[in-house]
Amino acid sequence: MNSQRAARWAAFVLIAALAVLAALAIKGGATALITSGAVLVPAPDTENSAAAHQTGSSETAVLAGGCFWGVQGVFQHVEGVSRAVSGYAGGDEKSARYNLVTSGNTGHAEAVRIEFDPRRISYGRILQIYFSVAHNPTELNRQGPDWGPQYRSTIFAQSAEQASQAQAYIAQLQRTKVFDQPIATTIEQGKPFYAAEAYHQDYLVRHPNQPYIIQHDQPKIENLKRLFPEQYRAAPVLVGNAS
């Protein structure tokens, strides 16, 4: 964990502890604090019609929603996903390095490239998992203790069709008001993806006892298992040194 993230983690622990104490005081010992952050959202209205046209053996989605460790970890446990790589999207190749992206000035977001078999899982289901358990889509440039545009909630559409489907789905979720706040997720199309450094790959799997992972990312895996049992796979698909 770098110094910036360590400082943010320490601040978050302090704030969380104060919030718990306040909740206990207000509720007389019965806390109403929700820590999982999971909201099971409805599937896209277009899910059935889209599934009928899935003929290829491989598609790619690129999603950003806070620190890429947790987003990658979630989709590594999803059936039908063959590879999930942590990386950067939104900026140029020269600035696609962690020490630069953390400045928040590169245009990049920490993102995950997800390769999946559309015959086993649809793009719509990928988005449903993304909105339900991978992150909080009502926060644009912040997730947990991490803040800045490099942690933004963004769908990097890989085609006009993906962009259209994502726009329709966001509009659907806004209408149904499944979240207390408006969805802040943006859609960016035509932005290349660059794989992150090797030490960021499979991070959740390799560091299960790190406090940041325990607090922010392991609950996402548990929520995936609980809310999407048919899509959950116990053994994650690992990438090793991604390229």
Side-chain angles (χ1 to χ4, degrees):
M1 186 184 305
N2 69 1
S3 58
Q4 287 182 332
R5 185 161 287 163
R8 292 170 185 169
W9 163 249
F12 174 81
V13 169
L14 177 60
I15 293 171
L18 293 173
V20 170
L21 290 175
L24 288 172
I26 293 171
K27 295 296 182 181
T31 177
L33 195 63
I34 299 175
T35 58
S36 69
V39 176
L40 180 58
V41 303
D45 289 338
T46 58
E47 180 71 4
N48 291 334
S49 61
H53 295 89
Q54 293 168 359
T55 57
S57 60
S58 181
E59 289 187 17
T60 300
V62 177
L63 305 174
C67 176
F68 44 26
W69 297 340
V71 179
Q72 181 193 43
V74 165
F75 286 101
Q76 286 181 317
H77 281 279
V78 172
E79 286 283 3
V81 171
S82 59
R83 190 171 169 86
V85 178
S86 289
Y88 314 107
D92 59 27
E93 184 175 8
K94 289 183 179 180
S95 62
R97 299 198 300 274
Y98 187 69
N99 64 319
L100 298 179
V101 173
T102 55
S103 72
N105 298 320
T106 64
H108 280 296
E110 291 192 11
V112 175
R113 182 180 65 203
I114 303 157
E115 298 173 21
F116 62 99
D117 184 343
R119 298 168 301 184
R120 299 174 61 193
I121 184 169
S122 67
Y123 182 65
R125 186 72 73 193
I126 292 285
L127 292 182
Q128 185 184 17
I129 292 171
Y130 168 71
F131 282 113
S132 294
V133 303
H135 82 309
N136 179 355
T138 68
E139 294 187 331
L140 176 59
N141 292 325
R142 180 172 184 172
Q143 292 292 317
D146 300 319
W147 62 87
Q150 69 272 31
Y151 298 112
R152 65 186 181 271
S153 173
T154 298
I155 297 168
F156 290 95
Q158 300 299 289
S159 66
E161 181 179 356
Q162 282 192 1
S164 176
Q165 189 171 350
Q167 289 170 349
Y169 192 31
I170 290 174
Q172 173 191 337
L173 296 180
Q174 298 280 37
R175 290 194 305 272
T176 56
K177 298 184 178 184
V178 293
F179 297 100
D180 293 335
Q181 300 295 324
I183 293 174
T185 307
T186 61
I187 300 170
E188 299 181 31
Q189 189 178 345
K191 302 291 181 68
F193 173 91
Y194 306 97
E197 296 81 354
Y199 66 88
H200 283 301
Q201 306 303 334
D202 305 327
Y203 197 93
L204 186 151
V205 176
R206 293 187 293 106
H207 302 280
N209 297 319
Q210 186 185 103
Y212 184 97
I213 296 297
I214 292 172
Q215 177 69 24
H216 299 287
D217 296 335
Q218 292 290 4
K220 296 178 181 180
I221 309 303
E222 293 304 314
N223 287 329
L224 173 69
K225 181 178 180 180
R226 176 171 57 88
L227 299 178
F228 295 92
E230 294 182 358
Q231 277 74 49
Y232 175 77
R233 59 186 297 168
V237 55
L238 304 180
V239 297
N241 295 331
S243 60

